[in-house]
Amino acid sequence: MTLGDLIAILPQTILEGLLLGFVYAMVALGYTMVYGVLGLINFAHSEVFMIGAVIGLEVFRFWGNPAAPVIPNPFLLLLVALLFAAVGSGFMAVLVERFAYRPLRKRGSKNILVPMITAIGVSFLLQDLTRIYAALRHNEFNMQYRTYEALNQVFELPLQTTIQMKGVLIIGVSVLMLIGLTYLVNRTKLGKAIRAVSQDMQTAALMGINPDTIISRTFLIGGALGGVAGVLFGLLYTNVTPYSGVLPGLKAFTSAVLGGIGNIPGAMVGGLILGQLETLSGTYLPFLTNGNFGTEYKDVFAFLTLVLLLLFRPQGIFGQNVSEKV
Amino acid sequence: MNGYVFPFTLAFTALSVVGALLRPASDLVNLALLASVALVSLGRMSTAWRSGLLAVLALTLTLLLRLNPGDKLAFYGLLGVLIACFLLPNLSTLVRVALGAAILFISVPIAGLTNSFLFELGIQIGIFAALALGLNVVVGQAGLLDLGFAAFFAIGAYTWGIFGSPQAAQFIEGFPPGGLPGNYLYLFMALAIITAAITGVLIGLPALRLRGDYLAIVTLGLGEVVRVFANNLDKPLNITNGPQGITPVNRPEVGFLTQFLQAIGAEQVYGKPIDSYITYAFFFYLLVLLVIGVVILVNIRLANSRFGRAWVAIREDEIAAKAMGIPLLPTKLLAFATGAAFSGIMGAIFAAKQTFVSPESFTLQASINILAFVILGGMGSIGGAVVGAAAVTVLNIGLLKDFSDLLNTWRQTGVTILGYNMANLPPQLNPAKYERLVFGVILILMMIFRPEGLIPEQRHRVEMQEARQEAKEGGGK
């Protein structure tokens, strides 16, 4: 391939990175918001995301059967799937908080590892519960999203790029959700309360905010975003397994750290950056190294970038440097 | 009521011993034995009686296992005795060591020579225990959260896997085509310590400048990097043979063990030839036991040394430790290198034992499992790491599988339980396949009800109690 060819595929690569980046950004928000209020890496969030994808899949499967559709319009069907996934994942996140994390908080353990191990336990539990569900309900492990002509319709864009209808929808939905979240966090009373709790839980409680309610709502919002992202992810890659939340969850968490964990705009930017890094390295690494190091190394590239960035800016791109007091 | 426990225990033990002598194959005897083990371990009695009864029970269980090698309940009973003599307070060290050694070196081999599953289980527990001990140094003692620990295990495994197999000849000209002979494993166990420790320092150098959660995510990322390299370094130069993995990896010669078994007349005793499969299982069981013993000794010595105290100081308060003149980065690097070395040596043994190395064994899942052993056992506690690894391994490859088999028998015979005909149970419900679910539930329950682990480190136990006290006095914030 000549240099010209490499440049010619650049716009398409960036566009694909954008799709992936938006999905990461939405999942990263769930990690970063929980981290903001509790200082906890919520490992179970990747499963909340995966459950969103499974709920979306079930909606498509049962109400969108081409032979006898309950909802014939794929766009409406997608909307219903997004709604169900948002509600289902949101409540799943709230349940996880209520039954796994809150008892620990009440006991006042100072060890930060304890809630994290619980999160890992919850993550295992949800993975296998989904696996049992998939095995009993469909007798399968790999679940396929239905495909629709209307969603796969291809549009030509300038600079030799093309985008499918579902790509447009992914960008549209994500942008709407991100704008909505920014408004919610910055302009509403609930948002103010979330910010207050994440700054100082005790002082917030003194100001008449009930931290438990706010933490619960934070999980609800983060979970709902994760659920929506799950459906979009399923639409993009069409294949969902009970374990398919793990890797995107890891990447999304990396994005959150990249942007400065606990920082909401940081998570969005971090997600978009990681999406770009992944698709760009996936496309260009084979050419740059004469095929010796192929697309398989895109994750290595993403993680090494994270390590490098953290070495020079340990607090992430937008994070504030908090110096420790004795 | 306490006054009745002792005579009751005595009667029960006597009953099970007599039962074992008269009707060794009955489940009733097994259950009586299990009950005796529980009574002897938990009941109230003098130390001398307890030690004596434990020894009698160990002997009876060994006899039962010799008579029916496949006796699962007797095996769990023996495991119970082993754990009891490891954990019970007030036993004299001599009794602990003598009874523990007798079970590990005499009882298990006697039963294992006809039922190699016992050796397999022992080997697995040993390997996982070494990994848990390694991670325990890093997370438990130095307080550095490492989520990519399987990487060091991988380095150890590939160190021997590449050179002890036809793989090395693929990229080094003039290398013996079959790889180095199996006896080089001993040399490579030492080399694996070195390569793993060096990798530990290399990963630690950038990662250890970060703190807490950032350290966790960076070690996780770097652990994945090692796995991705193992998975893809089959080109441009075929070093790891990619996802197919390397096979066959050479094993050391075990002629001496065969001769030993012949010398003691094992074949006559068992009435059948001891094949090479069992001899190898026996060999690796002994090797793992030896290595784990050395690892535990080194670990205890380190924990009580200047370095051990420096690690704890860093874990408790990094800034205060620095103010006391502890050089932070070198001390943390030492913890990383030590932990890596423990798992590196087991990696080499693992490669030889499996005769197969592939990236599959070193995923993020593996790292998290090792972390779970440490947490379950009790962070920072050496005994805890071993017990955590043993408990989870027995659960995974012992109990869950047995439970699956039981469900299968019920399914086939169509037993009705609580009004439900078991024949209608869907075949997808197979507990052995859902180890994560069980594991997840255990982790959650442990963290809620006993966050300090099964055998807490002294320091942690005090802390947790204080935290609980505070929470109570504060009325629960």
Side-chain angles (χ1 to χ4, degrees):
Chain A
M1 270 188 138
T2 64
L3 190 64
D5 293 338
L6 290 183
I7 293 176
I9 55 172
L10 185 62
Q12 183 70 40
T13 313
I14 290 181
L15 187 69
E16 275 159 23
L18 203 64
L19 292 184
L20 195 59
F22 273 122
V23 175
Y24 286 162
M26 285 209 284
V27 185
L29 280 170
Y31 281 105
T32 230
M33 284 171 68
V34 167
Y35 192 90
V37 292
L38 285 184
L40 158 75
I41 304 179
N42 181 14
F43 274 98
H45 191 61
S46 54
E47 273 55 56
V48 169
F49 163 78
M50 176 271 294
I51 286 174
V54 173
I55 294 176
L57 180 125
E58 295 293 16
V59 169
F60 277 110
R61 212 181 261 223
F62 292 115
W63 289 341
N65 187 352
V70 180
I71 304 172
N73 184 343
F75 296 100
L76 192 62
L77 198 61
L78 177 64
L79 188 68
V80 174
L82 287 174
L83 277 178
F84 269 76
V87 173
S89 289
F91 275 103
M92 181 58 78
V94 171
L95 280 181
V96 167
E97 192 273 330
R98 179 68 191 80
F99 290 106
Y101 303 150
R102 194 176 292 182
L104 299 181
R105 211 163 59 239
K106 290 295 160 207
R107 223 193 24 229
S109 159
K110 290 188 191 77
N111 191 336
I112 57 152
L113 276 179
V114 169
M116 211 187 76
I117 299 295
T118 316
I120 293 175
V122 173
S123 154
F124 281 180
L125 179 69
L126 292 180
Q127 281 171 10
D128 262 6
L129 282 181
T130 312
R131 217 175 116 202
I132 292 179
Y133 170 80
L136 288 182
R137 192 90 179 79
H138 306 297
N139 209 2
E140 56 193 30
F141 181 76
N142 279 307
M143 294 174 276
Q144 296 291 333
Y145 262 71
R146 283 187 198 285
T147 48
Y148 295 90
E149 290 276 312
L151 293 180
N152 288 341
Q153 189 188 346
V154 177
F155 299 105
E156 302 269 345
L157 297 179
L159 294 169
Q160 299 175 14
T161 49
T162 58
I163 186 168
Q164 284 182 314
M165 188 63 196
K166 59 184 184 187
V168 178
L169 289 173
I170 288 171
I171 294 183
V173 171
S174 332
V175 169
L176 273 180
M177 298 295 283
L178 296 184
I179 291 175
L181 183 83
T182 314
Y183 175 81
L184 185 127
V185 171
N186 292 323
R187 292 273 187 276
T188 64
K189 222 172 170 181
L190 174 63
K192 204 180 233 174
I194 291 178
R195 280 180 291 141
V197 170
S198 75
Q199 268 179 18
D200 187 335
M201 198 186 290
Q202 272 158 347
T203 313
L206 289 176
M207 299 296 144
I209 298 168
N210 182 352
D212 282 342
T213 320
I214 296 305
I215 289 169
S216 206
R217 301 263 161 88
T218 310
F219 272 87
L220 182 70
I221 298 167
L225 281 173
V228 168
V231 178
L232 298 183
F233 187 81
L235 215 54
L236 195 60
Y237 290 104
T238 68
N239 188 25
V240 180
T241 76
Y243 300 149
S244 63
V246 178
L247 206 56
L250 195 57
K251 304 261 181 65
F253 180 66
T254 309
S255 322
V257 175
L258 206 62
I261 190 147
N263 184 305
I264 290 175
M268 299 184 192
V269 176
L272 292 176
I273 292 178
L274 200 76
Q276 291 302 335
L277 272 179
E278 201 179 312
T279 41
L280 284 176
S281 56
T283 312
Y284 286 108
L285 268 181
F287 300 122
L288 293 177
T289 59
N290 281 327
N292 287 335
F293 292 97
T295 315
E296 313 85 73
Y297 288 93
K298 62 182 185 188
D299 295 348
V300 171
F301 197 75
F303 283 126
L304 289 183
T305 315
L306 174 81
V307 174
L308 271 183
L309 179 106
L310 287 181
L311 281 184
F312 294 107
R313 257 191 91 75
Q315 68 276 32
I317 299 174
F318 288 92
Q320 272 155 5
N321 201 356
V322 186
S323 61
E324 234 172 273
K325 292 176 206 119
V326 184
Chain B
M1 144 126 207
N2 266 329
Y4 294 108
V5 172
F6 180 60
F8 203 59
T9 312
L10 220 51
F12 230 77
T13 313
L15 193 74
S16 44
V17 172
V18 173
L21 289 172
L22 296 179
R23 301 267 320 264
S26 107
D27 274 347
L28 218 57
V29 173
N30 277 326
L31 288 176
L33 267 165
L34 284 184
S36 316
V37 172
L39 280 170
V40 171
S41 314
L42 304 174
R44 241 171 195 243
M45 67 192 74
S46 74
T47 313
W49 269 108
R50 202 195 297 277
S51 318
L53 286 179
L54 278 177
V56 169
L57 285 175
L59 202 66
T60 320
L61 287 163
T62 311
L63 179 77
L64 270 188
L65 274 177
R66 168 71 190 88
L67 295 175
N68 327 307
D71 191 339
K72 286 271 161 61
L73 289 175
F75 169 68
Y76 291 128
L78 200 61
L79 204 70
V81 175
L82 188 63
I83 291 173
C85 78
F86 187 63
L87 290 188
L88 287 177
N90 301 335
L91 285 186
S92 80
T93 317
L94 185 71
V95 173
R96 273 182 220 272
V97 173
L99 204 55
I103 292 177
L104 287 176
F105 289 104
I106 300 173
S107 304
V108 175
I110 283 179
L113 281 174
T114 44
N115 178 11
S116 64
F117 172 74
L118 297 188
F119 287 145
E120 287 293 324
L121 194 65
I123 295 168
Q124 289 281 357
I125 290 177
I127 289 177
F128 285 145
L131 295 179
L133 284 168
L135 188 62
N136 187 39
V137 170
V138 179
V139 181
Q141 291 176 305
L144 306 163
L145 185 52
D146 183 349
L147 289 184
F149 197 70
F152 306 126
F153 187 45
I155 297 286
Y158 274 100
T159 303
W160 173 240
I162 290 172
F163 292 100
S165 72
Q167 185 62 27
Q170 303 253 358
F171 64 98
I172 300 174
E173 268 182 54
F175 204 81
L180 293 171
N183 279 345
Y184 276 82
L185 172 66
Y186 306 114
L187 172 67
F188 270 77
M189 275 157 61
L191 285 181
I193 292 181
I194 297 169
T195 48
I198 291 175
T199 318
V201 172
L202 285 182
I203 287 186
L205 266 179
L208 287 173
R209 290 166 200 278
L210 305 165
R211 279 191 193 171
D213 304 318
Y214 289 99
L215 175 64
I217 191 73
V218 165
T219 48
L220 191 156
L222 291 174
E224 274 300 279
V225 168
V226 169
R227 192 187 61 82
V228 171
F229 271 109
N231 208 16
N232 294 300
L233 269 186
D234 47 352
K235 62 184 191 306
L237 207 59
N238 189 356
I239 297 177
T240 64
N241 206 23
Q244 291 96 348
I246 301 173
T247 191
V249 179
N250 297 337
R251 300 183 289 189
E253 285 168 24
V254 289
F256 67 94
L257 203 60
T258 318
Q259 279 169 6
F260 169 75
L261 287 173
Q262 269 167 2
I264 60 167
E267 299 198 347
Q268 284 83 18
V269 174
Y270 288 97
K272 61 169 192 177
I274 307 284
D275 57 8
S276 79
Y277 179 76
I278 289 197
T279 317
Y280 264 111
F282 189 26
F283 167 73
F284 279 110
Y285 173 76
L286 291 177
L287 185 64
V288 165
L289 218 52
L290 183 76
V291 171
I292 196 82
V294 173
V295 165
I296 290 177
L297 268 185
V298 171
N299 202 343
I300 291 176
R301 298 285 291 160
L302 267 176
N304 296 328
S305 72
R306 193 158 61 91
F307 299 115
R309 289 193 297 274
W311 289 334
V312 174
I314 289 179
R315 178 186 79 195
E316 296 301 321
D317 191 333
E318 209 172 301
I319 297 171
K322 197 174 174 188
M324 288 293 138
I326 294 172
L328 290 186
L329 191 61
T331 315
K332 288 181 179 177
L333 278 180
L334 187 72
F336 249 58
T338 312
F342 288 175
S343 47
I345 188 170
M346 275 304 178
I349 297 178
F350 176 75
K353 187 234 147 200
Q354 303 277 71
T355 69
F356 173 62
V357 193
S358 87
E360 285 276 291
S361 320
F362 314 111
T363 51
L364 172 64
Q365 185 73 42
S367 298
I368 289 183
N369 285 351
I370 304 169
L371 182 66
F373 300 152
V374 175
I375 307 284
L376 275 183
M379 276 203 303
S381 124
I382 293 173
V386 177
V387 170
V392 175
T393 313
V394 169
L395 185 76
N396 266 353
I397 64 178
L399 286 174
L400 277 184
K401 214 168 136 282
D402 293 345
F403 187 50
S404 281
D405 292 344
L406 184 69
L407 275 189
N408 271 336
T409 8
W410 283 351
R411 225 172 253 142
Q412 278 152 15
T413 50
V415 187
T416 314
I417 290 173
L418 296 175
Y420 184 81
N421 188 351
M422 297 305 278
N424 298 333
L425 206 64
Q428 294 93 338
L429 272 188
N430 180 357
K433 278 204 222 146
Y434 297 108
E435 51 185 60
R436 283 189 201 208
L437 181 121
V438 180
F439 205 33
V441 172
I442 293 179
L443 282 182
I444 299 170
L445 292 181
M446 276 292 288
M447 287 304 109
I448 292 179
F449 297 108
R450 199 177 160 85
E452 64 270 45
L454 292 171
I455 308 170
E457 190 199 15
Q458 209 78 43
R459 212 183 302 259
H460 259 121
R461 189 175 352 205
V462 178
E463 267 169 33
M464 292 282 180
Q465 275 163 1
E466 276 171 5
R468 262 178 218 169
Q469 203 64 36
E470 258 172 51
K472 250 183 218 156
E473 280 161 14
K477 189 183 54 135

